[in-house]
Amino acid sequence: MEAKSLGQMLGIRCNQFADRTAMLLPTKEGFVPFTYRELHETVRRYASALRELGVKKGDKLVILSENCPEWAWADWACQTLGVVVVPIYPTLPADQAQYIVKDCEAKVVLAGAPDQAEKVETLKGVRVLALREEGGSLDELAKKADEIPMGEWERGIAAIEPDDLATIIYTSGTTGLPKGAMLAHRGFLMLFDSILRTLPLGETDTFLCFLPMSHVFERTDGQYLPISLGATIAYSKGLASLTKEIAASQPTVMLVVPRFLEATMDKIVDSLRKEKPMKQKLFRLALDQGTKHFNGEFAPLSWLTDMLVGKKIRLRFGGRLRFFVSGGAALPKHVAEFYGAWKLQILQGYGLTETYSGVCINFPDRNRPDTVGEPLEGVEVQIAPDGEILFRGPARMLGYYNLPKETAEAIDEDGWFHTGDIGMFDGDYLKITDRKKDLLVLGNGKNVAPQPIENKLRASPFIAEAVVLGDGMDSCVALIIPNFDHLKTQLPALKNLDNEQIVDSGEARMLIKKEVDKVNKTLAGFEMVKKHAILAKPFTIESGELTPSYKVKRKVVLEKYKERVSELAK
C-alpha cells in the first residue's frame, strides 16, 4: 500500500473497498452497515467542520469521550488535516483531564457528553465542543459545513509527511504525572505493513470495538488496523449490551484484556451452577478433556465433549471468532487453558504506548500462551545486561512531548527505547518477567519479582486482586481483594453479607489463607507471602488505585494502605 500517512491510507482503502462494510453502527434495533464510501464522505464532512472551527495542520485537538463512531470519524478527519489528536480517558477526573489539555496546548476539546465537557470548560483559550450531542455539536456542524473541495482536501493530505505527528497519547502512569508519547504516521504504517505480511487478517474480518478508544491498543489495532485491512469494525454501546452485540455482529477478531477474559470465564462457570447435576458433570468432563487436548495430552473423549459442549461455548462469542488478541497485562495460564479447552484461541501480544501498541505477537500457527510472542518484522528487540527489554525501529515514539530530559532517559543514544519491563527470550519468543521499578528488595538483600506471585494469587477463583509488597521487609506480604461474588456462591453463609462483613468472617479468611498457602508451596522460601491483609473495597480508576488501563498504581496503594502494610511488616 503506497501511503505515507494515515489520512492517505484511509483514502486508498475507501476507494479500493468503496462498497464494502467499513463499520457496523449501533442502534436500538441492532447494527446498521456503513460502507467505506460513506466513511470517506463522512470524514470529509467532519474535516470541513473542523476547518470552519479554524483547526489547521499541527494544531492539537483533544477527544474526551466514551466510545462511539463519531470518535472515529473525528479522529480520521484530523488525520486528513494533519491535526494532532490527543485522546483522554473519559474515566479520568477533572484535574487530570485539565492537566493533559493544558500540557499538550490543545486548541479544541471534543467532549462526548455534558459531564465530560464540564471537566475542562473552565480552561481559558480552549474551545470545548460537543462531539455528538444535540445543540451545536461537531456532528451537527459537519452536516451544515461547506465541504472542502476534493482537490484541496487531497492536496492537504498529500502534504502530510511520514514523520509528522499523528497523535500524542498520554501514558496512564503508574507513578508520577502522565507523559505525552509523540507518535508519527510512519510508525503506524510500518506496523500495519508488517501485520499485513505476517498475520492471517484481511478484508473479510470483523473486529468488535469495546475497549477504550483512548487507549493505544484499541486505537491502533481496533481502529486504524481494520481500516488498513479493508475489514469491518462493529461498535459496541458498552459492556451492558456486549453479549447481544457479539451475537449480532459475529466478530472474527476481538481485542481483549485478561480481566475481561477472566470475568467472562467466571460468568460461564457461575451460570453452570444453575444447571442440573448431569449438565454440570458433562461440562466438567468437557473442560477436563478440552484442557488436556489443548496441552497436547491424551484426551480420547475431547472430540465428543467438544461437539456437545465446546460448540455451545463458541456460539456465545458469535460462532465465527478466529481468535482473541490479548494485551495490557499478563495472560494467566488457567485463562488460556480455559478458552483453549473450547478451541477459542488467545494470541497474547506485548507493546506500550511508546511503541504504538503491540510490537510482539503470537501467531495462530505457532501460539505459545506462556509468552508474548515474536517481534513483528521491522522491530528490533534486545535484552539489556540487567534484563530490561529494549525496542528500536520505526514503531518507537519520537519522544515525550515537551519533556527532553525524560525522553533522553527513555531513549538512549543508539535509539533504543528502555521499556522498564524485565524479560528474556525463549528461542524466538519473548517472555515478560516483571517491571524493573517493581522489583522488591527484601531486608536481607534478596530481589523478588512481585508480578509472577500476584498472577498466581489472582489465578485463584476466590481472589480478584493481589498486590505483593516487601521493600526493606523481612519477607513478602500481600494486600488481597477477594472475588466477593464467587465467595458468596461457594459459601452460602456469606450470601447476605456486605463486603466488610465478609472480610471479617472466619470462613472467608480461612478460605483465602488456604489459597495463599497453595501459592506459597510453588514459591522459593524468600518469595513466600508470609502475611496478608484482606481488603473490603475493590481498586478502581475513580478511587485512584488503578490506571485507566487497569494497572495497579503500587505507590498509591502503598500510601493508601500504609498502616495495614506497617502492621504486616512487624
Side-chain angles (χ1 to χ4, degrees), residues 470-481:
D471 266 331
M473 302 180 194
D474 293 335
S475 61
C476 291
V477 301
L479 298 175
I480 291 174
I481 298 172

Side-chain angles (χ1 to χ4, degrees), residues 51 66 77 87 93 212 262 283 311 347 384 431 460 503 508 510 543 570:
R51 188 182 67 162
E66 300 285 352
E262 287 186 87
F283 180 88
K311 187 177 180 180
L347 304 181
K431 285 187 173 184
S460 163
V503 165
M510 191 177 297
S543 56
K570 291 179 182 176

Side-chain angles (χ1 to χ4, degrees), residues 40 44 147-155:
H40 201 243
R44 184 181 171 192
E147 284 197 344
I148 304 175
M150 184 61 76
E152 182 184 336
W153 193 37
E154 290 177 343
R155 285 192 296 275

Side-chain angles (χ1 to χ4, degrees), residues 95-167:
D95 61 335
Q96 293 185 39
Q98 289 179 15
Y99 171 82
I100 292 173
V101 173
K102 288 188 288 187
D103 188 68
C104 75
E105 303 166 293
K107 297 284 184 68
V108 174
V109 175
L110 299 177
D115 62 326
Q116 300 296 345
E118 288 172 7
K119 294 178 181 179
V120 295
E121 62 187 7
T122 58
L123 294 176
K124 294 180 180 179
V126 181
R127 180 163 184 177
V128 181
L129 186 70
L131 178 57
R132 56 176 179 159
E133 295 292 320
E134 292 183 5
S137 68
L138 179 67
D139 189 54
E140 288 184 335
L141 185 59
K143 294 169 184 174
K144 304 171 186 175
D146 294 331
E147 284 197 344
I148 304 175
M150 184 61 76
E152 182 184 336
W153 193 37
E154 290 177 343
R155 285 192 296 275
I157 293 171
I160 300 169
E161 296 298 327
D163 290 323
D164 286 347
L165 272 186
T167 186

Side-chain angles (χ1 to χ4, degrees), residues 220-508:
T220 300
D221 300 313
Q223 301 300 311
Y224 295 158
L225 174 62
I227 298 301
S228 80
L229 299 167
T232 301
I233 308 167
Y235 287 87
S236 168
K237 289 186 288 187
L239 291 176
S241 56
L242 190 59
T243 300
K244 289 182 180 179
E245 290 165 342
I246 289 173
S249 63
Q250 295 184 309
T252 59
V253 181
M254 283 181 67
L255 305 186
V256 295
V257 292
R259 283 176 183 270
F260 168 81
L261 294 171
E262 287 186 87
T264 304
M265 177 184 73
D266 289 341
K267 285 180 183 176
I268 292 172
V269 173
D270 287 342
S271 67
L272 184 71
R273 295 191 176 90
K274 300 174 184 176
E275 301 290 347
K276 295 177 180 178
M278 193 64 185
K279 278 193 173 182
Q280 293 186 36
K281 189 174 181 180
L282 178 60
F283 180 88
R284 287 193 292 270
L285 175 63
L287 180 59
D288 175 71
Q289 288 290 295
T291 302
K292 285 179 178 177
H293 184 268
F294 174 74
N295 288 324
E297 300 171 13
F298 182 60
L301 298 177
S302 63
W303 66 273
L304 178 61
T305 56
D306 182 68
M307 187 171 62
L308 296 172
V309 181
K311 187 177 180 180
K312 294 178 181 177
I313 299 291
R314 289 192 290 276
L315 283 173
R316 284 176 176 247
F317 298 96
R320 292 201 311 146
L321 190 71
R322 297 201 292 126
F323 43 75
F324 296 103
V325 180
S326 179
L331 177 67
K333 181 183 178 184
H334 72 286
V335 175
E337 289 180 336
F338 180 86
Y339 287 90
W342 316 120
K343 296 183 179 177
L344 290 166
Q345 194 168 40
I346 303 171
L347 304 181
Q348 184 172 202
Y350 169 70
L352 301 93
T353 302
E354 293 89 343
T355 64
Y356 293 72
S357 184
V359 284
C360 289
I361 189 71
N362 272 284
F363 294 86
D365 61 340
R366 51 186 190 274
N367 186 15
R368 284 187 51 185
D370 61 323
T371 75
V372 294
E374 307 166 58
L376 288 168
E377 288 182 13
V379 176
E380 294 181 76
V381 185
Q382 72 173 18
I383 308 297
D386 63 356
E388 186 176 10
I389 301 167
L390 311 181
F391 280 105
R392 189 168 65 179
R396 189 215 71 202
M397 69 167 181
L398 303 181
Y400 293 118
Y401 187 67
N402 281 343
L403 293 173
K405 181 183 176 184
E406 286 79 357
T407 298
E409 289 172 353
I411 302 173
D412 64 28
E413 294 179 355
D414 295 320
W416 291 101
F417 169 65
H418 292 243
T419 64
D421 288 320
I422 301 295
M424 58 178 284
F425 271 106
D426 184 354
D428 293 330
Y429 294 79
L430 183 64
K431 285 187 173 184
I432 312 298
T433 56
D434 218 295
R435 285 288 297 169
K436 187 175 180 179
K437 292 179 181 178
D438 290 343
L439 287 174
L440 308 176
V441 182
L442 302 181
N444 59 13
K446 292 279 190 181
N447 289 342
V448 177
Q451 285 192 0
I453 304 171
E454 292 165 351
N455 289 338
K456 288 185 177 185
L457 290 168
R458 283 195 293 262
S460 163
F462 301 103
I463 297 176
E465 187 59 83
V467 179
V468 175
L469 305 164
D471 266 331
M473 302 180 194
D474 293 335
S475 61
C476 291
V477 301
L479 298 175
I480 291 174
I481 298 172
N483 183 329
F484 291 103
D485 290 337
H486 204 67
L487 279 176
K488 289 178 181 180
T489 303
Q490 290 297 305
L491 302 173
L494 307 181
K495 190 173 182 180
N496 297 317
L497 302 183
D498 62 27
N499 289 1
E500 292 282 357
Q501 291 170 322
I502 291 173
V503 165
D504 289 336
S505 75
E507 283 183 281

